[in-house]
Amino acid sequence: MYYELEDHLWQLKSQVGDIGSAALQAVVNAGLPEAASSVMRPFETLLPLYQDVYARGADTSVDLVTHINAVATLPLLIDGAPVGFWAWDCSSSARGRRWIKR
């Protein structure tokens, strides 16, 4: 998924695949709060955030993301300035997956 900040909400601009929950899709489509921790950290540090275990409840209701496990959030930079972010997740079918950092 790719997001950009608009009117203090992270708006989904592009998505490939099913997010795994109609309720979560509705929340994502409405926009995530600007202060969402898994988003702001990479946006402010300009570094990727790899979560082997997604911090459930940090950005959305816990019950909406029980099927989400590992998550990677990467800022998109243009001329060194952040303009948006990419997010990838591993659903419950990929339990136990770890990000390999090199």
Side-chain angles (χ1 to χ4, degrees):
M1 297 182 283
Y2 174 70
Y3 296 81
E4 290 180 354
L5 190 60
E6 292 179 359
D7 298 322
H8 303 288
L9 289 174
W10 290 103
Q11 298 291 342
L12 181 65
K13 298 297 181 178
S14 180
Q15 177 177 334
V16 175
D18 186 348
I19 200 166
S21 160
L24 178 56
Q25 187 69 61
V27 168
V28 167
N29 289 347
L32 300 174
E34 180 177 4
S37 63
S38 64
V39 178
M40 284 310 294
R41 186 167 150 201
F43 200 74
E44 290 173 342
T45 65
L46 308 182
L47 298 171
L49 173 62
Y50 298 98
Q51 298 177 69
D52 290 335
V53 178
Y54 177 59
R56 291 182 177 95
D59 303 327
T60 56
S61 297
V62 174
D63 60 318
L64 293 178
V65 292
T66 58
H67 64 291
I68 304 295
N69 289 317
V71 175
T73 310
L74 290 78
L76 175 64
L77 308 176
I78 295 180
D79 294 326
V83 295
F85 75 91
W86 297 97
W88 289 269
D89 70 81
C90 297
S91 68
S92 58
S93 63
R95 240 179 315 229
R97 177 165 282 177
R98 298 274 187 237
W99 297 107
I100 298 172
K101 299 163 187 102
R102 297 177 191 227

